[in-house]
Structures are given as structure tokens and as C-alpha cells.
Amino acid sequence: MSSTMRAFVLTGPREGAVQEVPVPRAVAGEVVVDVERAGVCGTDVEFFTGEMAYLHQGHSAYPMRLGHEWAGTVSAVGEGVDPGWLGRRVMGDTMLGDRTCRRCRRGHQHTCENRQEVGIRGGRPGALAEQLAVPAWSLHALPDAVDAVLGALVEPGGNALRAARAADAGAGDRVLVLGPGTIGLLTAMFLRAAGAEVHLMGVAGGGFARGLGFEHVWTRDTLPDLPFDAVVDATGAADLPALAVDLVEPAGRVVYIGLSGRPSDLDTRELVLKDVTAVGVLSASPGLADTIAAYGSGAVDPRPLVAATVGLDEVGAVLAGEYPGPKVHVDPRR
């Protein structure tokens, strides 16, 4: 059995390559997963460019191994782990709280001040590798109906499910989603499944979203003057949080899941005078199980979002933007 494996290692801004690294060990309480699919997301690109805030806040540092959207099969278990996990197909929570602080004990481990984040924060290696080690408690088993492609879309889907639920919209409601990227499109899919009339606004085009069956796709210039019962901001634009409040109906809801590169401008007087409920969404953690169920039942099918599947050797090109989105998957076995 080899003592090394292939992994993509990011060594600095726009610097990274596939390296031979030690295979992970299943220490007490953890498992080793053979990775079958890993998604590349905007957070990974921010680490690649050096813009990710965690790099400047001391939460993350090069060298690092990216990859927090993944699916695979458990190949080893550590001491104290139920051996029934062996051979199970799984995905895992990105957010690994310390499980002892007040936030964790209150069920909010994804906001733990001392948390690690797989492939992101605290030195916890990610899934752009042949194998991955994670705590057994962070695992979610995947049913047969949820293959590796869907499994690696559970993490972004969990974020989107939470955003859609925060919009509190269903039949008879009209919702505008700002930003038809991966999270925006997934949010639109969950909102559609809930019965809402969904509109999307992006900077240009809209052909991809229309190809997914969304008829109401606009740019800022073409957006019709309609009442929106909820608005979801899934962009990184600093001016759109305020636009969301401008566009939403009085007594409506605005949901913020995008993060801008600089502080956004939002006049809270508008929130008060319109009696608007504003919700921020961080992390898929509370939505993972229900996302798996939605994928397994076919209520939401995000497969068309995966534009390409590549091997580890192509990761650098993916991070550099050489592959079209909205989502690119990596198969480390290639």
C-alpha cells in the first residue's frame, strides 16, 4: 500500500501543482475517504488569487489543499468510529466546530469561533486529492439515488436550500434571485420546487438559466417593474444588497448569501420603513440532510450545472478560469 497520494497543493497566489503527499491516517474519531468527486467553487478561486479574507485574518495560510464540496467512499476508520462506516458512500460537512463551545452546544457549530473548515480554514486539508480525512461525526451517508456527482453538489445545495427557505416563498409568491451563478441557480431550483415564481437577474446573457427552464431571466436594465415578495442576493457586488431592499415588496424578505470584496452600502432605515425581514446565510451545515433528500427524490436535479469533469492535473487551469462554469468537478482518480 502506497504511503503517498496525489493532491493539488496551492503554494501561493496563482501558484499550485499536483504533488505527492503523505496519505491521511484515520486517527481516533476520524475516517479516511477515497474521493470520487470534488467541486471547485468561488471560495477556491479567491484562495488561488490571494483575495480570500481568511488569508489576511490568519485563519488560513499557504501551502494548503483546497476542496470542500466532495463525495466519496469511506476506506478506513479510526479508533472509536463505528466500523459500519466502512464502504459507505458519503459526503461531509465543511464546518468542523470544536463541539464544546456555547455555539456548538446550541446547535450552531458552523459558527464556532474555533472551527476548522475542510479545505478552507484552520489547516484542515481538502478534497482535491485522492483521499481525505474528516471526523466521522461530520459525515452524511448518501443513498443509492445520489451518485458522486450529486453528492459533490450537496454542499453548495445546502447553502442554496437555506437561502430558499429563508425567502419563505411558495405558491403565489414571486422571488427575484440576484446572481445566476451556482448558488443563485441552485437557490432558484429550490424555490421553484417550493412552487414560487422565480426571476433571475444577471449581468448579461441568461441563456444557461433559460436552458434550465427559467423563463424570467433579466439584466439590471431589462428587469421589469414587478412586485417581488422576496429577493435573494447571491452575488459579490457591494451595491446589490441595497438594491435588494429597494426591489422587495414592503413586508417582504431579503436574503443575503453573497459576499462582496468590500463593505456593502445598506441603509437600514429602508428596512425599517418597509418592514422588511433581512436574513444572512452562512454555511450549508443545517441544510445538508434535506438537500440529500431533495436530490434523492428528484425534487431538485442540479446535474446540468456541472459543465465539465477533469482530473487533478487540470485544477490549476480551472482555478485560473479556463473552464466554463457554472460548476467544474474534479475526479482525483483520473
Side-chain angles (χ1 to χ4, degrees), residues 224-303:
D225 183 15
L226 293 170
F228 294 106
D229 302 294
V231 179
V232 179
D233 176 17
T235 76
D239 63 319
L240 290 190
L243 180 65
V245 177
D246 288 341
L247 294 173
V248 76
E249 280 285 277
R253 300 173 73 88
V254 290
V255 181
Y256 297 114
I257 192 168
L259 288 173
S260 58
R262 63 175 176 82
S264 54
D265 301 316
L266 180 60
D267 187 345
T268 57
R269 290 175 298 183
E270 290 296 313
L271 290 174
V272 174
L273 293 171
K274 293 182 72 172
D275 196 35
V276 166
T277 299
V279 182
V281 174
L282 170 73
S283 164
S285 301
L288 294 174
D290 286 347
T291 299
I292 291 170
Y295 290 178
S297 71
V300 172
D301 180 10
R303 295 173 193 271

Side-chain angles (χ1 to χ4, degrees), residues 28-72:
E30 297 197 358
V31 304
V32 171
V33 176
D34 293 343
V35 180
E36 296 169 18
R37 287 290 189 283
V40 177
C41 92
T43 299
D44 300 320
V45 174
E46 288 187 20
F47 278 116
F48 179 73
T49 62
E51 296 170 350
M52 175 59 183
Y54 281 178
L55 290 168
H56 311 289
Q57 295 167 345
H59 296 308
S60 307
Y62 304 118
M64 63 186 302
R65 299 215 304 264
L66 303 171
H68 60 278
E69 305 174 359
W70 58 270

Side-chain angles (χ1 to χ4, degrees), residues 135-175:
W137 63 262
S138 70
L139 297 176
H140 288 260
L142 298 176
D144 291 341
V146 178
D147 63 9
V149 175
L150 289 174
L153 287 164
V154 170
E155 200 278 342
N159 281 281
L161 172 66
R162 293 190 64 214
R165 286 183 170 172
D168 193 25
D173 296 319
R174 181 184 293 118
V175 184

Side-chain angles (χ1 to χ4, degrees), residues 113-193:
E113 187 69 26
N114 303 313
R115 70 185 181 273
Q116 290 183 320
E117 298 178 25
V118 176
I120 296 176
R121 172 175 163 146
R124 170 68 68 163
L128 290 180
E130 293 176 320
Q131 292 185 310
L132 171 75
V134 293
W137 63 262
S138 70
L139 297 176
H140 288 260
L142 298 176
D144 291 341
V146 178
D147 63 9
V149 175
L150 289 174
L153 287 164
V154 170
E155 200 278 342
N159 281 281
L161 172 66
R162 293 190 64 214
R165 286 183 170 172
D168 193 25
D173 296 319
R174 181 184 293 118
V175 184
L176 175 64
V177 178
L178 307 177
T182 297
I183 297 298
L185 289 169
L186 280 165
T187 301
M189 289 179 175
F190 280 107
L191 286 165
R192 179 170 61 186

